[in-house]
């Protein structure tokens, strides 16, 4: 059984983003048990103090354990923080910041809720990566972490085992997203019905989130995106593409990252993986056939990239989402 740890930083003052994840994953476990399956996660709350008061002492959180006693976890969730005094909150929680960084290095995946992204960004793990947080905290976030590609228009970001989401109760969509990833879609649907959350907002595949990257006004980059999407099975020379668009390679990369949050190469990789996902979900082609039609010839490189973006190997993904493939694998 995996371990999920909800972190309670020093000065935690948001209860919903602690209780919400806790209840979501308990419900997902309960649903699995009702089907005769083993629960996926042991859910625990870990803090830096034995008890934390919230809202002037109206509520209190008494963690199961201290973060210093958690040597390894598989998934950890950083809840939202108070909007006021975020710099001070980060400074007060150096122990949490260091612990999160070490857990990620040891293989844990990390999710931040709303302004919990400030503590996540303080670890340095978001440098050069995409991130979302509450729109009202965007200006402060950019000031504190200029090296992070903040995209507050995105509901969920998912990059190399690091997840963030927008503000307020949109964290419920992130919980559904994680439940679908770690359990399965039927379990996410059950949670969506029980907690009455619109699953259409949370069941976005990485491509759906990625597709939102066209919501910008840079016509040159829109043309580049269209070209990359129409030449998936080709090895595109980015220098030549930049020249064809009448921009220098350096300016091309800079504008591409600013508009989409990804480099041109990363963008092409994500489009290719999405195409591969669709083929694996519905077709009868082998993994190697799908690999070749999406422009890859190196099995290991394709497998590693696919797993980094989806969390599964191509074969695991095919068995999970292609009913015919799953049935055939039993014989």
């Amino acid at each position: 059984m995996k371990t999920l740890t909800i972190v309670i930083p020093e000065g935690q003052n948001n209860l919903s983003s602690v209780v919400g994840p806790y209840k979501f994953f308990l419900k997902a476990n309960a649903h699995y048990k009702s089907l005769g399956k083993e629960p996926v996660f042991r859910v625990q709350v870990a803090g830096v103090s034995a008890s934390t008061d919230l809202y002037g002492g109206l509520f209190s959180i008494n963690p199961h354990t201290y973060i210093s006693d958690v040597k390894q976890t598989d998934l950890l969730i950083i809840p939202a923080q108070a909007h006021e005094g975020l710099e001070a909150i980060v400074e007060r929680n150096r122990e949490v910041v260091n612990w999160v960084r070490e857990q990620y290095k040891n293989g844990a995946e990390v999710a931040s809720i709303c302004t919990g992204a400030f503590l996540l960004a303080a670890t340095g793990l978001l440098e050069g990566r995409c991130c979302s947080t509450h729109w009202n905290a965007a200006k402060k976030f950019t000031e504190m972490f200029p090296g992070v590609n903040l995209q507050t228009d995105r509901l969920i970001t998912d990059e190399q085992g690091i997840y963030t989401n927008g503000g307020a109760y949109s964290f419920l969509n992130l919980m559904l997203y994680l439940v679908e990833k770690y359990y399965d879609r039927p379990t996410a649907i059950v949670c969506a019905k029980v907690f009455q959350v619109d699953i259409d907002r949370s069941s976005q595949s990485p491509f759906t989130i990625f597709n939102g990257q066209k919501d910008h006004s840079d016509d040159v980059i829109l043309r580049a995106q269209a070209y990359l999407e129409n030449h998936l099975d080709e090895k595109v020379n980015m220098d030549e593409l930049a020249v064809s668009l009448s921009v220098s390679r350096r300016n091309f990369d800079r504008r591409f990252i600013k508009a989409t949050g990804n480099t041109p190469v990363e963008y092409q990789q994500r489009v290719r993986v999405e195409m591969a996902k669709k083929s694996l979900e519905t077709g009868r082609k082998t993994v190697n056939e799908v690999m070749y039609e999406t422009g890859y010839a190196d099995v290991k490189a394709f497998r590693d990239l696919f797993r980094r973006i989806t969390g599964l190997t191509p074969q695991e993904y095919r068995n999970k989402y292609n009913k015919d493939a799953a049935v055939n694998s039993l014989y």
Side-chain angles (χ1 to χ4, degrees):
M1 186 184 298
K2 298 178 183 292
T3 300
L4 184 160
T5 304
I6 301 170
V7 186
I8 308 300
E10 185 70 38
Q12 178 66 35
N13 198 37
N14 183 289
L15 186 61
S16 61
S17 61
V18 176
V19 175
Y22 187 76
K23 294 183 69 175
F24 248 89
F25 284 95
L26 289 185
K27 173 54 68 177
N29 277 347
H31 177 66
Y32 251 40
K33 289 179 69 175
S34 73
L35 298 176
K37 299 180 181 181
E38 286 295 318
V40 173
F41 282 113
R42 177 176 68 91
V43 184
Q44 64 181 5
V45 179
V48 293
S49 304
S51 182
T52 299
D53 289 334
L54 298 89
Y55 309 115
L58 183 61
F59 301 105
S60 65
I61 299 175
N62 304 300
H64 297 112
T65 187
Y66 294 99
I67 62 170
S68 58
D69 293 331
V70 179
K71 304 307 178 186
Q72 187 170 2
T73 189
D74 298 284
L75 173 64
L76 63 90
I77 296 176
I78 306 171
Q81 303 301 300
H83 282 239
E84 298 77 21
L86 284 163
E87 288 179 323
I89 289 172
V90 169
E91 194 58 40
R92 290 172 63 188
N93 281 284
R94 288 298 167 186
E95 180 184 0
V96 171
V97 167
N98 293 336
W99 180 80
V100 170
R101 185 191 303 114
E102 287 305 308
Q103 289 298 321
Y104 182 74
K105 288 181 179 178
N106 290 335
E109 296 200 332
V110 184
S112 69
I113 292 174
C114 190
T115 47
F118 281 76
L119 290 176
L120 177 55
T123 66
L125 298 176
L126 286 176
E127 281 296 305
R129 293 176 175 168
C130 297
C131 173
S132 187
T133 189
H134 198 290
W135 60 266
N136 202 31
K139 187 171 184 289
K140 174 57 70 175
F141 188 94
T142 302
E143 291 173 358
M144 291 177 64
F145 308 106
V148 179
N149 182 15
L150 183 64
Q151 298 189 355
T152 52
D153 59 322
R154 293 172 65 175
L155 185 69
I156 298 169
T157 68
D158 174 351
E159 194 171 351
Q160 296 183 314
I162 297 177
Y163 312 90
T164 68
N165 84 280
Y169 286 92
S170 70
F171 79 84
L172 297 174
N173 302 113
L174 176 58
M175 295 305 104
L176 282 178
Y177 186 88
L178 293 173
V179 166
E180 181 170 352
K181 175 174 181 177
Y182 279 96
Y183 295 76
D184 48 40
R185 183 167 178 82
T187 303
I189 291 172
V190 168
C191 289
K193 290 181 176 179
V194 169
F195 296 109
Q196 299 187 36
V197 182
D198 183 1
I199 196 169
D200 287 339
R201 296 186 66 209
S202 65
S203 62
Q204 302 172 95
S205 67
F207 179 77
T208 303
I209 299 169
F210 168 79
N211 195 40
Q213 291 173 323
K214 291 182 180 177
D215 187 20
H216 59 82
S217 58
D218 192 326
D219 183 63
V220 168
I221 301 306
L222 287 171
R223 286 159 54 200
Q225 289 173 275
Y227 184 89
L228 292 173
E229 291 168 8
N230 291 327
H231 296 80
L232 290 180
D233 59 345
E234 300 177 18
K235 185 175 181 179
V236 177
N237 185 307
M238 296 302 174
D239 289 325
E240 293 178 359
L241 178 57
V243 170
S244 72
L245 295 167
S246 302
V247 293
S248 68
R249 176 60 191 275
R250 181 177 180 181
N251 191 36
F252 177 59
D253 286 353
R254 181 186 62 78
R255 288 171 65 173
F256 207 106
I257 293 170
K258 181 179 179 181
T260 72
N262 292 112
T263 66
V265 172
E266 290 169 344
Y267 188 91
Q268 184 184 50
Q269 289 175 337
R270 294 187 67 177
V271 175
R272 283 175 165 177
V273 167
E274 183 61 23
M275 180 180 176
K277 284 168 55 184
K278 297 305 180 187
S279 294
L280 293 169
E281 289 168 4
T282 60
R284 295 187 177 183
K285 295 179 180 178
T286 66
V287 170
N288 279 2
E289 287 174 325
V290 171
M291 176 186 71
Y292 289 127
E293 76 175 7
T294 52
Y296 290 97
D298 185 320
V299 175
K300 184 178 185 304
F302 175 68
R303 186 178 186 275
D304 290 348
L305 174 66
F306 193 96
R307 186 167 189 171
R308 174 167 61 82
I309 291 177
T310 69
L312 299 170
T313 66
Q315 188 62 52
E316 289 170 342
Y317 190 92
R318 184 169 181 263
N319 291 340
K320 188 177 183 68
Y321 292 107
N322 189 319
K323 184 166 64 174
D324 291 337
V327 171
N328 291 335
S329 69
L330 298 175
Y331 298 96

